[in-house]
Structures are given as C-alpha cells and as structure tokens.
C-alpha cells in the first residue's frame, strides 16, 4: 500500500537536545511538507521541498532544519533553538507544488518536552 | 496576509440532519479547494476537493464553490455520530507562488 510513514509516533525531548522526526513516502511524490499543529489550531507550514536537494522555509522555520537527499525521505530536525517544540508534527506529500492535486498526510509525530 | 477562515464551532447537529460547514478565502487567484476531516488526535484525511464553481457530490458529501463570493462549503447529509470531527478547509493560492493555506477548522458534533 502506498502512503506516508512518520516515526516515531511519540517523541520526548530533553532540554538542549536536537531530535529528528522521520518521514518516508512511497507515493512517488515530488513535493513534501512539514507542518506543526498546536491544540485547537490550524496547520502551520515549517518547511517544504519541491524536489530532491531543494527545500524552502515556510512560515515558522526558525528552530527547525530539514534535508531532502532522497525523493522518498524528508526528515525534520527540531533543534535546541526551538524553545517551544511541544506540538503535533505532520508530514505531507503531493505530486508537485504547482499541481492542483491535494496533499496527503502521514499519521503524525507528537513531540513533548521532558 | 492571505487567509482562509472558518467558524471554529462547535457546530452541533442531530443525527440524520444536514451539517453545513463554511470557509472563506482572501486570495481571488485561488484555484484548488480541499476539505479534510481530522479526528481528535489523528492526522487530516482528505474527503473532498473541488476546482470549479458549482457543486460536487460524493456520497453523503457535497462541496460547493463560489469563486465570485470567495467561499467554499461542505454539506454532510444524513449526519452520523461518526462524522463528529474537525473539518479543515484548504485553499491553494497561485498569486505569489503556489501555496496551500489551511483554515483552523470547524468542530462538528453529531448527536445520537
């Protein structure tokens, strides 16, 4: 079955620690995205990538970093510079940024501070 | 600031009734419109998309788009308790580059 796999499902971060959230897709999609969702809030775009080895900052990129070395993979690192990392993180993909096709989401990673 | 706005709710309807969810958007150049359902603690799931003015029906769901008035709505007929969720409206803007903006969502409760 094609889909988007995020891991881990739950993650705990200690003070001063960097943590990496995994996102893998087997949909052959060019575009991938990372969103943050806080309780009762909408989705806020952190980073997106249109193609391998290219990525762009979204609306709230500070304190986060990404890489796109393979088409299938778009990991997100939450750095120690992100002072309020507790949130639900969602990875999504679509055929292309410029298409009118919808984004499809993984199951999400819930990050909390220890 | 480009925006997609939804009434946060909660919208409460009795089982079997029609639930009507509305969304307005600010960018007249928007081309693609999506409705996602998000159950508590879960990720958003695509349920409808619409690109042209008018109605689009899929089972119990109907999406309605009016580009002149810049609104898109979702009707759920014969609402079931299992429809209780948050419904997110998403709009893909073209002006200034392709970008999909998500509304904050409307919480729907269907009472048995």
């Amino acid at each position: 079955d094609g889909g988007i796999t995020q891991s881990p499902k739950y993650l705990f971060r200690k003070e001063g620690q960097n943590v990496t959230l995994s996102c893998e897709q087997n949909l052959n999609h060019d575009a991938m995205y990372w969103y943050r969702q806080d309780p009762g809030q909408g989705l806020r775009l952190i980073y997106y990538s249109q193609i391998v080895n290219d990525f762009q900052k979204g609306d709230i990129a500070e304190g986060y970093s990404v890489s796109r070395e393979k088409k299938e993979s778009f990991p997100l690192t939450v750095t120690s510079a992100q002072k309020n990392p507790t949130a639900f993180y969602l990875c999504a993909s679509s055929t292309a940024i410029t298409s009118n096709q919808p984004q499809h989401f993984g199951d999400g990673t819930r990050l909390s501070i220890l | 600031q480009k925006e997609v706005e939804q009434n946060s709710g909660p919208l409460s309807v009795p089982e079997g009734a029609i639930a009507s969810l509305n969304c307005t958007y600010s960018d007249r150049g928007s081309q693609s419109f999506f409705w996602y359902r998000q159950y508590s603690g879960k990720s958003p799931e695509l349920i409808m998309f619409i690109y042209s003015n008018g109605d689009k029906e899929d089972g119990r769901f109907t999406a309605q788009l009016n580009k002149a008035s810049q609104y898109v709505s979702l009707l759920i007929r014969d609402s079931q308790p299992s429809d209780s969720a948050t419904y997110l409206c998403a709009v893909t803007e073209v002006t200034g580059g392709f970008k999909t903006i998500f509304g904050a969502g409307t919480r729907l409760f269907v009472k048995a």
Side-chain angles (χ1 to χ4, degrees), chain A residues 12-63:
Chain A
F12 298 92
R13 195 191 87 170
K14 294 180 183 177
E15 202 73 40
Q17 185 182 40
N18 293 351
V19 292
T20 297
L21 284 60
S22 171
C23 178
E24 304 275 333
Q25 54 99 359
N26 61 4
L27 300 169
N28 200 32
H29 285 171
D30 284 319
M32 296 186 74
Y33 314 80
W34 274 105
Y35 292 93
R36 169 180 172 142
Q37 188 176 38
D38 293 282
Q41 306 283 318
L43 305 180
R44 291 188 288 168
L45 183 63
I46 304 172
Y47 269 98
Y48 64 97
S49 168
Q50 298 187 64
I51 200 166
V52 174
N53 293 323
D54 177 74
F55 50 82
Q56 307 293 331
K57 292 182 179 180
D59 300 317
I60 56 163
E62 187 173 346

Side-chain angles (χ1 to χ4, degrees), chain A residues 9 35 37 40-43 45 59 88 90 97-108 110, chain B residues 31-32 34 36 38 40-46 49 51 88 92 98-105:
Chain A
K9 199 174 180 69
Y35 292 93
Q37 188 176 38
Q41 306 283 318
L43 305 180
L45 183 63
D59 300 317
F88 189 38
L90 289 158
I97 295 274
T98 55
S99 78
N100 60 1
Q101 296 302 305
Q103 295 179 23
H104 297 274
F105 289 86
D107 289 339
R110 204 165 293 277
Chain B
Q31 291 191 341
S32 309
F34 310 98
Y36 289 83
Q38 187 175 25
S40 181
K42 302 296 185 182
S43 64
E45 170 194 11
L46 179 72
F49 59 88
Y51 304 134
L88 305 177
T92 298
F98 282 81
K99 187 175 181 182
T100 299
I101 309 293
F102 287 82

Side-chain angles (χ1 to χ4, degrees), chain B residues 4-50:
Chain B
V4 175
E5 296 194 352
Q6 300 180 251
N7 187 324
S8 61
L11 172 65
S12 184
V13 301
E15 184 174 0
I18 295 175
S20 178
L21 305 162
N22 299 311
C23 171
T24 60
Y25 60 94
S26 60
D27 184 9
R28 284 195 170 274
S30 299
Q31 291 191 341
S32 309
F33 307 85
F34 310 98
W35 283 99
Y36 289 83
R37 177 176 61 200
Q38 187 175 25
Y39 290 115
S40 181
K42 302 296 185 182
S43 64
E45 170 194 11
L46 179 72
I47 53 172
M48 288 287 291
F49 59 88
I50 186 167

